[in-house]
């Protein structure tokens, strides 16, 4: 006995396309916005920027020397400053170093949209393609900072082993001993974020003196802004999370993310969408950061 199946009536089955497109997912971009990028310079592609660093090789300022007062034992000092015939002050040299930031990151995206694709698609594809390219460049800028995390010399914890509260506090102490007064940040992986949720003192309102943690945002703890991202480097089954002050890295944006839409040379290709960004970034102060190795 013959039976009518779906293939026999396919011509009567309409195809309905939803008007909205499910967009790709974007990571939290947490690194570039937290570093020093306000050291301005007039730059061109391929040039380099010298970022002056004063007295960064030592955690202390130039030494202070007691002058002779002659009034009490223990305050005699080594010299007496006079304007005529007395001992002279000892003058020492000061050093100002620098770090080079090369304007070497030049990234672009390009997309071409044919007249036919534009005609049959539901909705306007041009702004969608343009935004996708801009987001790609934003991720690349953030990644240029992430790529430098592995160069930080000082570390806490072990790769693939969850961080403990004691290790977090040890990292905070290390930055304190460096006399760092700059804004501090702690950027970590999604896996480490899940680990922190098990710490009652991080999420319980009895400890946080605020509303219970319901939105998954740890906020500010131990005097630092905490943020998670999938942009931190992966290594040996773990992540190179990072605790740092803003001056750890310096960046220079020569040409911020931008895109243009233009007509193509062939009438069958009506639009070309092109965007680019030009920037440079480098480590300025290694002692201003700690790799927080974990999961």
């Amino acid at each position: 006995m013959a039976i009518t199946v779906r293939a026999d009536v396919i011509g009567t089955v309409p195809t309905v396309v939803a008007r909205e497109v499910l967009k790709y997912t974007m990571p939290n971009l947490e690194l570039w916005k937290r570093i020093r990028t306000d050291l301005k310079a007039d730059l061109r592609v391929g040039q380099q920027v010298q970022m002056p660093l004063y007295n960064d090789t030592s955690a202390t300022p130039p030494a202070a020397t007691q002058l002779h007062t002659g009034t009490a034992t223990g305050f005699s000092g080594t010299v007496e400053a006079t304007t005529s015939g007395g001992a002279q002050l000892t003058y020492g040299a000061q050093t100002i170093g620098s770090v080079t930031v090369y304007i070497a990151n030049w990234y672009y995206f390009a997309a071409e949209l044919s007249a036919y694709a534009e005609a049959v698609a539901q909705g306007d594809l041009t702004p969608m393609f343009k935004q996708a390219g801009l987001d790609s460049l934003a991720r690349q800028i953030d990644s240029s900072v992430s790529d430098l995390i592995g160069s930080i010399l000082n570390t806490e914890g072990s790769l693939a082993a969850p961080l403990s509260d004691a290790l977090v506090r040890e990292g905070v102490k290390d930055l304190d001993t460096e006399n760092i007064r700059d804004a501090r940040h702690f950027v970590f992986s999604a896996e480490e974020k899940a680990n922190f949720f098990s710490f009652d003192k991080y999420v319980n309102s009895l400890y946080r003196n605020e509303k219970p943690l319901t939105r998954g945002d740890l906020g500010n703890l131990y005097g630092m802004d905490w943020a998670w991202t999938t942009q931190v480097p992966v290594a040996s089954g773990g992540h190179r999370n990072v605790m740092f002050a803003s001056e750890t890295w310096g960046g220079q944006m020569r040409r911020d993310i931008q895109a243009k839409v233009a007509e193509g040379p062939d009438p069958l290709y009506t639009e070309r969408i092109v965007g680019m960004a030009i920037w440079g970034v480098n480590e300025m102060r290694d002692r201003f950061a700690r790799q927080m190795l974990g999961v």
Side-chain angles (χ1 to χ4, degrees):
M1 182 177 65
I3 185 171
T4 302
V5 297
R6 185 179 187 277
D8 297 316
V9 297
I10 192 67
T12 67
V13 179
T15 299
V16 181
V17 179
R19 290 185 176 275
E20 294 190 7
V21 177
L22 292 180
K23 193 179 179 183
Y24 51 86
T25 57
M26 276 288 289
N28 295 328
L29 302 182
E30 297 290 348
L31 291 166
W32 179 267
K33 67 183 181 182
R34 298 176 186 273
I35 70 173
R36 287 296 302 272
T37 58
D38 56 347
L39 303 173
K40 303 299 183 183
D42 185 16
L43 310 172
R44 296 186 182 279
V45 180
Q47 287 185 332
Q48 60 191 51
V49 185
Q50 295 297 118
M51 291 188 171
L53 299 179
Y54 177 59
N55 202 40
D56 192 57
T57 57
S58 171
T60 59
T65 303
Q66 166 74 36
L67 287 171
H68 175 63
T69 62
T71 59
T73 303
F75 291 91
S76 59
T78 56
V79 298
E80 181 175 357
T82 65
T83 57
S84 58
Q88 299 300 307
L89 301 182
T90 300
Y91 294 89
Q94 290 292 299
T95 301
I96 296 181
S98 67
V99 169
T100 302
V101 176
Y102 294 95
I103 311 302
N105 294 288
W106 188 2
Y107 283 79
Y108 81 96
F109 75 89
E112 199 166 39
L113 184 62
S114 73
Y116 181 77
E118 189 177 37
V120 300
Q122 288 200 101
D124 189 354
L125 296 181
T126 301
M128 188 184 307
F129 289 177
K130 178 180 178 181
Q131 187 59 51
L134 295 176
D135 288 345
S136 177
L137 290 174
R139 291 182 63 171
Q140 188 61 50
I141 291 171
D142 214 59
S143 293
S144 68
V145 183
S146 173
D147 290 342
L148 299 176
I149 293 176
S151 299
I152 297 298
L153 296 178
N154 296 299
T155 64
E156 297 287 352
S158 303
L159 288 170
L163 285 167
S164 65
D165 179 61
L167 285 170
V168 173
R169 288 185 282 111
E170 188 69 20
V172 174
K173 183 203 72 175
D174 287 346
L175 296 188
D176 286 342
T177 58
E178 296 288 355
N179 294 318
I180 298 170
R181 313 290 292 191
D182 199 8
R184 298 182 188 181
H185 311 275
F186 185 21
V187 178
F188 44 86
S189 68
E191 290 81 358
E192 205 65 73
K193 176 186 176 182
N195 169 49
F196 291 150
F197 281 168
S198 67
F199 297 176
D200 204 41
K201 65 186 296 186
Y202 288 1
V203 300
N204 194 317
S205 61
L206 294 177
Y207 294 94
R208 293 171 60 87
N209 193 28
E210 57 186 40
K211 294 180 180 180
L213 191 71
T214 58
R215 301 177 65 89
D217 184 6
L218 291 168
N220 189 296
L221 295 170
Y222 299 138
M224 303 179 298
D225 286 326
W226 291 43
W228 71 275
T229 177
T230 53
Q231 294 284 89
V232 292
V234 179
S236 301
H239 288 86
R240 298 185 182 276
N241 311 295
V242 62
M243 187 181 295
F244 65 100
S246 298
E247 289 189 0
T248 301
W249 297 288
Q252 291 284 340
M253 183 63 65
R254 174 63 183 95
R255 180 164 292 182
D256 208 347
I257 302 173
Q258 56 182 278
K260 295 180 179 179
V261 179
E263 291 186 0
D266 191 317
L268 294 181
Y269 293 89
T270 58
E271 288 185 336
R272 284 181 171 178
I273 308 166
V274 180
M276 70 171 182
I278 303 170
W279 74 97
V281 63
N282 201 359
E283 179 185 295
M284 294 198 301
R285 289 178 163 167
D286 185 88
R287 66 184 181 90
F288 272 40
R290 294 294 184 274
Q291 285 194 61
M292 304 298 291
L293 306 180
V295 294

